[in-house]
Amino acid sequence: MTITEDRAADAASPEIGKARRRKEDQRLITGRTRWTDNIQLPGMLHLAMVRSPFAHATISSIDVTEAKAASGVIGVFTGEDLKDIQGVNITAWPVSAEQKTPDHLPVAVSHVAHAGEIVAVVAARSAAAARDAAELVDVDYAELPAVLDLKEAAKDEVLAHPDLGTNTSAVWQLDSAGQGSGGDVEEAIAKARESGIVIEREYRQQRLIPAFMEPRSTVVDPTGEQVTMWSATQVPHVLRFCIAATTGLPESKIRVIAPDVGGGFGGKLQTTPEEFATLAVARKLGKPVKYTETRSETMVSGHHGRDQWQKLTLAAEKDGRVTALKVDLMADLGAYAALVGGGVPVLGAWMFNSIYKFDAYQFNLTNYYTNKTWVDAYRGAGRPEATYAIERLMDELAAEVGVDPMEIREKNWITHDEFPFTTVAGMTYDSGNYEAATEKAKELFGYDELRAEQKRRRESNDPVQLGIGISTFTEMCGLAPSRILGALNYGAGGWESASIRMLATGTVEVITGVSPHGQGHETAWSQIVADKLGVPFESVEVLHGDTQIAPKGMDTYGSRSLVVGGEAVVRAADKVIEKAKVVAAHLLEASVDDIEFKAGTFGVKGTDKGISMPEVAIATWTGHNLPDGVEPSIDADATFDPDNFSFPHGTHLCAMEVDTETGATKMRKYVCVDDIGTIINPLIVEGQVHGGLVQGIAQALWEGAEYDEQGTLVTGSFVDYTLPTSADTISFVTDHTVSPSTYNSLGTKGVGEAGCIASTPAVVNAIVDAVRQFGVNDILMPCTPERVWKAIEKGRSVPGEGERDAQPHFDEGVPNQDPGAASEGSQA
Ligand code: MCN
């Protein structure tokens, strides 16, 4: 089937494209569902974790006598007690064969490498009793020097894991010249220094803390034939694999269930020490146990996101045509290599070039360990960091050339007639139309009018200046092609599975290998199946998140569920139709070739004879009148492994007002036009975009994890970690264009991370644009009023444009970077 034919069929389908309210909403919004913490089992015990207050220490001794004697306590377990069965946290993505990976025991035995690491587990009759007794566990630590800063870690003077002998986890490179896809980056930069423009910048991606609504929670029942674990996880299938791989339990004896899960944003794309510790204690005691963390525990021990320093060198011709980009990236993994943490910056490597055409690209990555909470995927994982860097650089280049930042983008982007286009990083983008999305966004934004207002405010020295931020982003999602993931040393595949069971009474059961945690898959998958099989939306039931019911799956992350899992559903539906056609032909006494399937009915071409899909289903179920040799089932399974990722894109425009006397910023307008190919459910998509936008804007303006000098997380609660609420944001204007993907029959591209990837640079570009006339060309994120004000003051104190220090500096968090580094060849 070609994409074009399928699109034509879809045009007649009533469900795809309909803004259906989510089936899940009733139970999720009212809370009338089975969150993991709601699960009660007979005789169930409750756990509390004893956590290290030190960032780096050895454990000299642990005295559990008092805790054991406390009221309601059933047992207290140290790492030593659980050693034989607790397993080990594994990393699925060693970036290189040489990667140094410290052992990460769920319950530490002798060494802790970050504050919050588990050192003992208390099991009691109630959660309160367990927590009280945890206070009585007496741990004697010998504190060690801790390395907390990424740049300090690079010096190897203080080691996060002394036995590794270095803080370097792995180095990795992508070089367009080496890959044969482009020119030599050093040559291009040298040429630009002579006769073009070189922009050198250093950007910081601060550490963020995923703040899903439902804390992580695990229940383990070891009493049956199988061990059953319920967990608030994004990855039940991966979790079952990791348990089997590290605890010695046979995979067939483990059932993992992700019941309704209250958000994850990547933060639940992890196999956690808490899950392993809960499993180990349940097995030791032979009783069901439950562990639910507090919010502070989420923040100190759930994995964090981002945390990079990016050193960037962009080369261009004098007219602003980009010729090369070099990225030297330092990534902080925190104390351990998490499930996919080391690979997160690798994902970004393909996105620094974004929508732009240039000849030479080099990406040099070093991953480091520090004595802070481990780092892993957080909404966008690698791609927001890359997008931020390139979109900030495009603005800097525009300022250097002296043109509107939109003009620089137009000069460098891939035009719509150039698709499919293979980028300098080696990715082939299938479809896109950056011109169309930008045109639409500019119109909705009132681009020219806002630029005119900006000019007026500048000329009148208005204390409140206006800035316009642009982000013409693309991203690579739909984490899939297994062979590409394999080439990157990723430990698992990227395929997805689906099964369709045609029940006798006309309803349809869809089993999907993805594991939703807020994305509305039950609704979207029902829409797809309703259209494909011609059955009512209400007749479709979608089952997921239980390794017994949906045994095959790779779960939900990387905006993969629709483009991989949804397409698997389509393929299973196609197989159902093919099987049903044979039965229908027999029942209609016609040849299979004469049967056509339309809107749920198998008809005989040229006649008015027909039979509906539910009629075929019940006839198959009875099996009374089937063709010879045909099995009494029209159920089907499919596993889909696409040939490529999906590449959504869009243009985001942000207007920010900056009070130059106080540094306070205020969002005036935010417009985004995203292109995610075919949209299955516009209401869900709108929600995804809004949520993503707020998360990206929050990185630009408010959020950031901070540690003190001892390695204590000082932003360990919502009092200090400034997560925005809806009151902090404005109404966004969202729209879309449609460039169908050619890698799945629906023509869809992912949307789950797009808003978060695009919005951060749009906001920072707007703020810098508002105050550039004061000599400001960067502000560290989050752009707090204090940082903005200091940047303006520092800029104002500079004697003349282009006469600032020769080196970029970041004192007081105010990086007015060296404008001399953006040097014209003649001055270099
Ligand atoms: N969709 C659609 N049409 C498209 C693209 C998507 O109708 N062209 C719909 C899909 O059918 C699905 C939803 O949008 O219902 C998101 O689809 P997709 O882009 O495939 O993303 P995933 O379902 O794989 O979700 C993962 C993605 C990621 S990586 C993060 S992080 C994230 C996100 O989704 N975390 C979320 N959205 C979240 N939403 C909620 N409520 N909670 C989270 O933790």
Side-chain angles (χ1 to χ4, degrees):
M1 179 196 323
T2 68
I3 302 298
T4 338
E5 282 163 2
D6 196 49
R7 302 239 53 66
D10 281 349
S13 6
E15 282 296 339
I16 289 179
K18 193 186 258 186
R20 279 228 177 239
R21 282 172 185 266
R22 299 190 310 179
K23 284 184 166 183
E24 307 79 335
D25 280 351
Q26 182 64 23
R27 67 174 200 273
L28 291 182
I29 291 171
T30 58
R32 268 186 234 117
T33 186
R34 218 178 184 210
W35 306 113
T36 302
D37 191 52
N38 291 346
I39 292 167
Q40 300 294 346
L41 299 175
M44 188 169 72
L45 302 173
H46 298 263
L47 303 187
M49 304 295 167
V50 181
R51 296 178 182 277
S52 167
F54 296 109
H56 197 193
T58 52
I59 301 168
S60 309
S61 65
I62 303 181
D63 185 351
V64 299
T65 324
E66 223 185 313
K68 260 188 174 161
S71 160
V73 170
I74 302 297
V76 182
F77 302 89
T78 63
E80 196 64 46
D81 300 327
L82 301 175
K83 219 156 81 178
D84 50 335
I85 56 164
Q86 71 166 333
V88 60
N89 284 92
I90 54 176
T91 174
W93 199 343
V95 164
S96 71
E98 295 76 35
Q99 174 169 309
K100 289 195 187 306
T101 309
D103 284 346
H104 187 191
L105 298 176
V107 182
V109 172
S110 58
H111 176 248
V112 286
H114 72 90
E117 200 167 340
I118 302 169
V119 295
V121 189
V122 178
R125 292 196 199 284
S126 73
R131 273 200 290 272
D132 286 349
E135 301 281 319
L136 304 174
V137 174
D138 187 7
V139 187
D140 198 8
Y141 297 94
E143 206 179 342
L144 295 169
V147 59
L148 302 164
D149 178 79
L150 187 48
K151 291 187 177 179
E152 286 302 313
K155 294 180 190 161
D156 270 349
E157 285 166 6
V158 177
L159 298 180
H161 295 274
D163 52 336
L164 290 187
T166 175
N167 290 321
T168 299
S169 169
V171 293
W172 187 86
Q173 189 188 58
L174 179 71
D175 191 322
S176 61
Q179 290 200 328
S181 56
D184 184 293
V185 82
E186 298 298 351
E187 265 176 34
I189 292 169
K191 190 168 167 219
R193 284 195 201 284
E194 270 170 31
S195 58
I197 297 169
V198 177
I199 308 270
E200 289 173 282
R201 290 288 183 272
E202 200 174 5
Y203 293 138
R204 179 186 167 206
Q205 287 288 325
Q206 80 270 34
R207 188 175 262 255
L208 300 176
I209 306 181
F212 30 78
M213 265 199 202
E214 181 206 17
R216 295 172 307 159
S217 178
T218 303
V219 171
V220 176
D221 183 359
T223 58
E225 266 301 297
Q226 285 178 312
V227 173
T228 304
M229 175 186 280
W230 291 261
S231 192
T233 178
Q234 290 175 228
V235 287
H237 296 93
V238 174
L239 179 56
R240 180 168 79 153
F241 173 88
C242 289
I243 291 170
T246 70
T247 64
L249 273 172
E251 200 172 340
S252 55
K253 293 283 180 200
I254 308 162
R255 176 178 185 183
V256 177
I257 303 170
D260 276 331
V261 174
F265 308 112
K268 290 174 183 164
L269 164 50
Q270 196 58 259
T271 52
T272 67
E274 288 80 1
E275 286 163 334
F276 282 102
T278 305
L279 174 66
V281 170
R283 289 174 70 200
K284 276 274 176 202
L285 294 173
K287 285 186 190 305
V289 297
K290 180 196 285 185
Y291 169 71
T292 300
E293 68 189 359
T294 62
R295 179 59 62 176
S296 299
E297 285 180 299
T298 311
M299 298 187 99
V300 79
S301 71
H303 74 243
H304 295 174
R306 316 280 192 264
D307 211 341
Q308 300 180 352
W309 273 111
Q310 308 164 325
K311 198 164 163 235
L312 305 144
T313 312
L314 182 92
E317 290 175 358
K318 273 197 173 149
D319 66 355
R321 199 184 72 78
V322 178
T323 54
L325 176 66
K326 184 177 177 195
V327 180
D328 293 297
L329 194 140
M330 302 168 79
D332 189 341
L333 300 187
Y336 296 105
L339 191 66
V340 296
V344 165
V346 172
L347 272 184
W350 281 276
M351 283 293 112
F352 277 88
N353 53 289
S354 190
I355 65 169
Y356 307 112
K357 293 176 284 191
F358 49 86
D359 309 322
Y361 173 54
Q362 192 183 76
F363 173 91
N364 303 301
L365 166 69
T366 312
N367 283 338
Y368 294 98
Y369 296 112
T370 59
N371 294 114
K372 293 183 291 188
T373 301
W374 55 350
V375 172
D376 205 322
Y378 176 57
R379 204 168 196 171
R383 292 149 289 158
E385 297 91 318
T387 304
Y388 180 83
I390 187 68
E391 289 303 298
R392 289 285 300 107
L393 285 176
M394 291 315 250
D395 266 33
E396 296 307 304
L397 178 60
E400 192 57 26
V401 179
V403 296
D404 189 297
M406 194 60 96
E407 197 180 318
I408 281 292
R409 287 167 170 85
E410 285 165 359
K411 192 184 283 286
N412 285 288
W413 70 31
I414 302 157
T415 54
H416 71 276
D417 49 352
E418 291 177 296
F419 289 94
F421 185 90
T422 300
T423 69
V424 70
M427 280 289 153
T428 300
Y429 297 171
D430 53 347
S431 63
N433 191 333
Y434 311 139
E435 301 97 311
T438 302
E439 211 39 56
K440 203 170 196 179
K442 277 175 76 176
E443 204 179 307
L444 290 168
F445 190 67
Y447 191 84
D448 296 336
E449 294 80 357
L450 283 166
R451 279 277 180 229
E453 180 184 332
Q454 177 183 45
K455 190 162 174 271
R456 280 199 304 279
R457 285 186 189 238
R458 275 197 190 157
E459 284 168 358
S460 64
N461 268 336
D462 194 325
V464 178
Q465 290 291 319
L466 183 71
I468 294 171
I470 305 171
S471 173
T472 46
F473 84 108
T474 188
E475 63 129 336
M476 156 190 148
C477 66
L479 285 194
S482 299
R483 66 189 163 78
I484 301 183
L485 297 179
L488 294 176
N489 233 10
Y490 180 66
W495 48 263
E496 199 44 80
S497 83
S499 303
I500 294 185
R501 291 192 209 132
M502 303 301 297
L503 303 186
T505 50
T507 51
V508 183
E509 254 177 17
V510 179
I511 295 147
T512 175
V514 300
S515 194
H517 42 281
Q519 293 88 352
H521 296 163
E522 289 170 30
T523 305
W525 278 212
S526 298
Q527 290 178 267
I528 295 169
V529 171
D531 272 1
K532 287 303 282 185
L533 299 184
V535 295
F537 170 81
E538 293 75 17
S539 298
V540 186
E541 197 66 40
V542 180
L543 307 175
H544 54 78
D546 179 340
T547 59
Q548 193 117 305
I549 290 169
K552 277 178 67 188
M554 284 293 177
D555 306 318
T556 289
Y557 42 84
S559 304
R560 68 186 300 275
S561 300
L562 179 61
V563 295
V564 196
E567 178 67 15
V569 169
V570 170
R571 292 180 180 224
D574 286 338
K575 288 185 183 175
V576 167
I577 293 166
E578 283 315 301
K579 284 184 171 184
K581 233 181 206 175
V582 176
V583 178
H586 178 75
L587 296 173
L588 294 166
E589 295 174 343
S591 136
V592 175
D593 294 339
D594 288 336
I595 298 292
E596 56 184 5
F597 181 63
K598 236 188 215 163
T601 300
F602 296 90
V604 183
K605 285 179 200 160
T607 75
D608 59 358
K609 277 170 59 178
I611 183 170
S612 72
M613 180 61 98
E615 285 172 314
V616 175
I618 191 141
T620 312
W621 180 74
T622 62
H624 295 165
N625 182 17
L626 296 180
D628 288 345
V630 168
E631 62 181 31
S633 167
I634 51 171
D635 297 347
D637 302 327
T639 305
F640 177 57
D641 196 349
D643 290 337
N644 201 350
F645 299 95
S646 112
F647 300 97
H649 71 84
T651 296
H652 289 222
L653 299 174
C654 173
M656 294 291 293
E657 288 178 358
V658 178
D659 184 330
T660 57
E661 287 167 359
T662 64
T665 60
K666 190 173 152 206
M667 189 172 286
R668 168 92 169 265
K669 195 162 192 181
Y670 198 104
V671 169
C672 64
V673 175
D674 288 301
D675 192 324
I676 53 168
T678 310
I679 292 176
I680 303 302
N681 183 321
L683 196 61
I684 292 179
V685 164
E686 179 101 348
Q688 287 295 319
V689 171
H690 278 233
L693 289 180
V694 176
Q695 274 177 303
I697 293 167
Q699 174 172 14
L701 296 179
W702 300 299
E703 291 184 32
E706 297 292 341
Y707 285 81
D708 70 10
E709 283 167 12
Q710 277 72 49
T712 304
L713 180 68
V714 292
T715 51
S717 80
F718 286 146
V719 174
D720 308 290
Y721 189 80
T722 43
L723 194 78
T725 68
S726 54
D728 297 306
T729 59
I730 62 168
S731 241
F732 307 121
V733 179
T734 62
D735 209 327
H736 63 273
T737 53
V738 179
S739 307
S741 168
T742 57
Y743 287 105
N744 60 75
S745 70
L746 293 166
T748 57
K749 302 179 180 185
V751 75
E753 296 156 294
C756 188
I757 292 169
S759 55
T760 313
V763 175
V764 179
N765 276 344
I767 296 173
V768 174
D769 185 53
V771 296
R772 192 180 287 283
Q773 69 273 25
F774 303 115
V776 177
N777 60 18
D778 194 22
I779 298 168
L780 280 183
M781 294 189 291
C783 300
T784 57
E786 184 189 2
R787 281 184 174 153
V788 174
W789 181 80
K790 281 183 173 172
I792 296 168
E793 288 305 299
K794 187 175 241 175
R796 277 180 165 149
S797 68
V798 173
E801 254 197 21
E803 291 178 31
R804 273 163 280 159
D805 308 345
Q807 294 301 316
H809 48 272
F810 291 87
D811 53 311
E812 300 173 324
V814 187
N816 279 355
Q817 301 198 24
D818 169 25
S823 53
E824 292 232 3
S826 52
Q827 298 163 352

